[in-house]
Amino acid sequence: MKMRAILALFVVVASAGAAIGLERLGSKAPGDLPPSERSATGGWFCPHGGGKDWNVTLQVANPGDEAVRVRTTTFAEDGVSEVPNLVSVEPGANREISVPSTDKAASSFIEYFGGWVGAAWVTETDSGVAAEPCLADVADALFLPDGTTERGENAFVVVVNPFDIDAVFNLTILREGDEPVTLDDWTGFVLKPRHSVLFHLNEAALGAPTAAAKLDVSLGRVAAASIGTASGGGIRSAIGILGPPPARSIMSGGSDTGETQVIMANSTRNRGRFEVRIVGSEKGRVLPEQARKLDARSAHSFPFVTEGPSGIDVRGRAGFGVAAARRSFSGQGDRGATSGVAAPASDWLVLPAGLKGPLEPRLVISNPGEEEAEVTVTLLGESGPLQDPGPETFRVGPGRTAVLPSKITEKASRAAALVEASSGEVVASFATYSANRNGYAVSAGLPIPA
């Protein structure tokens, strides 16, 4: 397995800078750690939520050559719900960490010391599964497009403040064909230090086909994610998009059943214009209507029909920032959602999107570029890189999406995947079916710092 020789240098410089930023915002200093580990510090913010009979597991994978110490803290509406837990993640390994998840606003903060790791969460209920990568940063503005409050649907937003100062923000709902709306209690909302909170969007915008949330933070910084549930069963989650929105969003997914939706939010007072390209399993094709429009201060769901695993590449025009999420259907009641990524990259760490068996994980690799990409995939197990199956090399044509053969991923359904491109740049995600396809989740990969 090709490990990053320069990763240690990045961790010392960039992560140390992140640690300084956290300290300025009031994070607790890791005083119980040696000075060498304090200098290589970073964090992941995981607003996963919770509920009765929910099981939340954090996935933490280490693609480097040295063991990394990881400390997790879980917050709830009443504050810290568990004493911080310090564990070690071995080189090339993926570790599962169960966290308290009975509180509806449950959120976790992961600190790492001595090297870089990637983190994500998997939420499992009796009716479905949800998964997303954790956020690498906090912000003073976040967009959460994936929400609907139509009959039988519930939309939630989880917000976490892991720092030692108050966070003050407004939460506004952007709707389809209607004016933005909020509640008095959601204006100037004060979130105490080291607390998390849950907002039920149905309370302010019942019956909205699209209900996207926007957070404007006037004091402090927060992280947030959306959670969607259906009365007929199913659960999905999507991380917040840090503002200002990027110029591009690429959202990979598996073989969706029926309609795929791209949900977009526009908080500006100008109409937004954008282009959409489907990066397909057979060939890349541009939709007939290349330029689409989104009304000012609104949100809208755009339906697509994809053929097999695919990536959806959305690009803003004339300076329009893309705040988008992809909502997919498995055919068995559960949906998957992802906020995607802002750009392709050469190296990815993709965390598992399911835990309970039987699982059918699909590693989806989209190549939105114009040159062929050659990628090597190494699966990272509990103890380190797996030898059975060992690393495999594949080619992904330009404008195409490939899926790692199921005979490989099903052998190690709970392993993370290290995806390294020796040529070209790609986007990698896990799309996982579970319990005879009654559960479905999509989790975008994390680009590995170079």
Side-chain angles (χ1 to χ4, degrees):
M1 179 179 64
K2 183 181 70 175
M3 296 296 182
R4 306 267 69 80
I6 59 177
L7 184 57
L9 178 59
F10 167 84
V11 170
V12 171
V13 177
S15 293
I20 294 172
L22 293 181
E23 185 176 359
R24 287 174 179 169
L25 286 173
S27 179
K28 295 286 188 181
D32 56 336
L33 298 171
S36 60
E37 291 194 4
R38 293 182 213 165
S39 64
T41 302
W44 291 102
F45 307 90
C46 314
H48 44 71
K52 183 180 179 182
D53 299 324
W54 287 29
N55 294 309
V56 177
T57 302
L58 302 178
Q59 306 282 325
V60 183
N62 174 12
D65 297 319
E66 302 290 338
V68 178
R69 298 179 76 182
V70 170
R71 180 164 61 191
T72 60
T73 307
T74 300
F75 308 101
E77 287 188 312
D78 295 332
V80 178
S81 63
E82 185 177 66
V83 175
N85 179 31
L86 187 64
V87 300
S88 179
V89 183
E90 296 304 309
N94 178 57
R95 180 151 187 170
E96 299 174 0
I97 304 173
S98 296
V99 294
S101 55
T102 56
D103 190 279
K104 292 182 179 180
S107 303
S108 297
F109 177 40
I110 300 173
E111 300 166 278
Y112 53 86
F113 312 99
W116 186 88
V117 297
W121 74 78
V122 177
T123 300
E124 293 178 317
T125 69
D126 292 337
S127 59
V129 59
E132 268 288 68
C134 298
L135 286 153
D137 206 351
V138 289
D140 58 6
L142 292 100
F143 297 81
L144 303 112
D146 180 35
T148 176
T149 61
E150 290 185 304
R151 186 173 182 178
E153 300 282 346
N154 284 281
F156 303 92
V157 169
V158 179
V159 184
V160 60
N161 174 16
F163 305 116
D164 288 339
I165 63 172
D166 287 340
V168 180
F169 57 85
N170 299 337
L171 188 152
T172 305
I173 300 176
L174 304 172
R175 297 182 289 178
E176 187 174 328
D178 212 339
E179 290 294 318
V181 65
T182 189
L183 297 178
D184 289 342
D185 291 344
W186 298 358
T187 301
F189 187 92
V190 179
L191 184 56
K192 296 179 181 179
R194 302 170 70 79
H195 281 67
S196 57
V197 65
L198 179 82
F199 296 94
H200 190 192
L201 303 191
N202 297 54
E203 296 178 9
L206 186 63
T210 306
K214 181 174 186 286
L215 290 172
D216 293 293
V217 187
S218 57
L219 178 65
R221 298 291 186 271
V222 299
S226 62
I227 297 175
T229 63
S231 58
I235 182 175
R236 65 188 187 278
S237 60
I239 56 174
I241 298 160
L242 306 182
R248 186 181 185 187
S249 178
I250 309 171
M251 298 159 283
S252 293
S255 299
D256 305 333
T257 301
E259 184 178 270
T260 295
Q261 295 176 330
V262 171
I263 308 98
M264 295 189 62
N266 176 14
S267 66
T268 73
R269 296 186 178 274
N270 300 312
R271 175 174 288 186
R273 294 175 60 87
F274 59 94
E275 297 178 352
V276 179
R277 179 184 294 269
I278 292 182
V279 186
S281 54
E282 295 298 326
K283 61 180 180 178
R285 61 183 176 90
V286 178
L287 297 182
E289 187 179 354
Q290 296 185 35
R292 294 181 176 267
K293 300 177 182 178
L294 184 62
D295 289 339
R297 304 183 69 207
S298 71
H300 190 78
S301 298
F302 298 89
F304 296 90
V305 176
T306 60
E307 299 174 1
S310 64
I312 299 180
D313 188 355
V314 183
R315 305 188 190 197
R317 297 182 61 184
F320 177 62
V322 178
R326 175 175 177 166
R327 186 189 304 155
S328 308
F329 297 79
S330 68
Q332 299 294 329
D334 194 22
R335 304 178 189 180
T338 180
S339 295
V341 299
S346 59
D347 300 309
W348 293 87
L349 180 63
V350 194
L351 286 301
L355 294 175
K356 292 181 181 177
L359 294 176
E360 298 179 26
R362 300 288 183 265
L363 182 61
V364 182
I365 302 175
S366 296
N367 177 7
E370 298 181 354
E371 65 172 301
E372 183 180 72
E374 182 174 300
V375 298
T376 299
V377 177
T378 304
L379 298 181
L380 310 182
E382 183 179 0
S383 302
L386 299 183
Q387 301 304 315
D388 182 24
E392 296 277 354
T393 299
F394 302 87
R395 288 183 171 86
V396 185
R400 297 191 179 185
T401 292
V403 181
L404 195 69
S406 58
K407 65 180 181 180
I408 296 177
T409 51
E410 288 178 8
K411 276 189 174 182
S413 59
R414 295 167 70 163
L418 177 62
V419 178
E420 300 172 296
S422 57
S423 64
E425 292 186 322
V426 298
V427 172
S429 301
F430 258 128
T432 299
Y433 304 88
S434 63
N436 299 318
R437 296 198 173 221
N438 287 330
Y440 178 58
V442 180
S443 182
L446 295 167
I448 298 177

